[in-house]
Each structure stands twice: as structure tokens, then as C-alpha cells.
């Protein structure tokens, strides 16, 4: 088993006996990385995973680790070609951007919720203002149908006309407020 000199410089002397335990993988990432590796070996598939590795600094850094199996003539895995790419800075930027995006989305949801409450309040107020003249119109129309006296009927038609004008004015104010 040969190890690239860059890997030795970064990770120090690797204990190849512990390689099967993924001891160089940061502990919180180890279980999933090892489980995925075992599946890749079992099914002879490529391995690719972002994980934190522990270098000589002892601090975890993000790497993209890839492995590709090479098969012998019998179709069994003969060896693996593996590489790792340090993506620590990119991953930290990505996490910072995600956190920033999450904060912006949270703020946007709060604004939408506040706007929705305001619009509901406005709609309730407007609905009440529109219902008054509509109720007047309905009531007057009922009375006109029952009333036989022309003089009373004319008074009711005038009240009906006032209610229609009031309703028309209210609708104009509502639609002008929406624009």
C-alpha cells in the first residue's frame, strides 16, 4: 500500500491498521462515512463523500473524498484509487452563506406574516364598510316591493340611491388603495 507524499505531509504517519475504522475521519462524520465506504466495497461502486478529516493540526477540515475500485480479471476488487480534495474554505463559505440565507428567509417570513395580518385587518375593516350600504340596499329593496304608496316609494328610492352612491364610493377607495 503506497501513500502519496502530500498525504503523509498533511496527515503525518498514517496507521494503516486503523484505516478500516476510519480513524482519520472526524468522529461526528465517521459512522456515516464508514457505512458508505462499506457499501461501496460490498457492491464495487465508486465512493464519494464530503467529510471532515483530521490533519496534523488536529483540527477537522472539510474534504471531498473519492474512491474508485479497480477490478481483477475475475471481477473482484483488486485495489482502490482514492483521492481527497481540501474543500474547507469553500465549505465554510457555503455554510456562512446558508446561515445568511436562513436569516434572510426568516426575516422575509416574519415580514410576510406581519403583512398578512395587516391585510387581514384591512380586509375586515373594508368588508364591514362595504356590508353596511349593501345591507341598506337589500332592506330598502324589500320595503319598496311591499310599499304601495308612491310618496313613500320615492323616499325609499332616494335612500336606495344614497346607499348605492356610498357603496360605489367605498369600492373606488378600496380599489385606489390597492393600486
Amino acid at each position: 500500500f503506497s501513500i502519496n507524499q502530500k498525504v503523509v505531509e498533511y496527515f503525518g504517519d498514517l496507521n494503516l491498521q486503523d484505516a478500516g475504522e476510519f480513524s482519520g475521519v472526524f468522529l461526528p462524520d465517521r459512522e456515516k462515512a464508514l457505512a458508505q465506504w462499506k457499501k461501496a466495497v460490498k457492491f464495487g461502486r465508486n465512493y464519494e463523500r464530503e467529510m471532515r478529516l483530521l490533519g496534523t493540526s488536529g483540527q477537522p477540515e472539510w474534504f471531498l473524498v473519492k474512491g474508485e475500485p479497480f477490478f481483477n480479471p475475475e471481477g473482484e476488487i483488486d485495489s482502490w484509487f482514492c483521492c481527497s480534495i481540501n474543500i474547507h474554505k469553500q465549505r465554510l463559505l457555503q455554510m456562512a452563506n446558508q446561515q445568511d440565507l436562513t436569516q434572510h428567509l426568516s426575516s422575509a417570513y416574519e415580514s410576510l406574516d406581519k403583512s398578512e395580518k395587516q391585510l387581514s385587518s384591512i380586509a375586515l375593516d373594508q368588508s364591514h364598510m362595504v356590508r353596511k350600504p349593501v345591507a341598506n340596499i337589500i332592506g330598502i329593496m324589500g320595503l319598496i316591493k311591499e310599499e304601495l304608496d308612491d310618496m313613500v316609494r320615492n323616499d325609499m328610492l332616494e335612500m336606495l340611491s344614497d346607499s348605492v352612491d356610498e357603496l360605489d364610493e367605498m369600492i373606488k377607495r378600496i380599489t385606489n388603495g390597492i393600486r
Side-chain angles (χ1 to χ4, degrees), residues 68-104:
E68 185 174 335
F70 286 94
F71 298 92
N72 62 24
E74 290 79 37
E76 298 169 340
I77 298 176
D78 189 42
S79 61
W80 285 84
F81 176 76
C82 298
C83 69
S84 60
I85 303 165
N86 187 320
I87 58 168
H88 191 68
K89 288 179 184 175
Q90 293 89 333
R91 185 64 186 241
L92 292 179
L93 283 171
Q94 179 186 24
M95 289 187 302
N97 286 337
Q98 285 175 340
Q99 184 177 4
D100 189 47
L101 179 61
T102 299
Q103 289 172 346
H104 285 301

Side-chain angles (χ1 to χ4, degrees), residues 82-148:
C82 298
C83 69
S84 60
I85 303 165
N86 187 320
I87 58 168
H88 191 68
K89 288 179 184 175
Q90 293 89 333
R91 185 64 186 241
L92 292 179
L93 283 171
Q94 179 186 24
M95 289 187 302
N97 286 337
Q98 285 175 340
Q99 184 177 4
D100 189 47
L101 179 61
T102 299
Q103 289 172 346
H104 285 301
L105 284 174
S106 177
S107 176
Y109 283 129
E110 288 174 18
S111 294
L112 285 172
D113 190 42
K114 184 178 177 182
S115 295
E116 183 180 340
K117 287 177 184 174
Q118 288 174 336
L119 287 173
S120 292
S121 175
I122 291 168
L124 185 62
D125 291 343
Q126 299 296 332
S127 171
H128 176 71
M129 287 189 267
V130 169
R131 284 188 178 152
K132 178 186 169 252
V134 169
N136 288 345
I137 292 169
I138 292 170
I140 293 169
M141 297 277 297
L143 289 173
I144 289 174
K145 287 179 183 176
E146 295 175 7
E147 188 57 48
L148 298 175

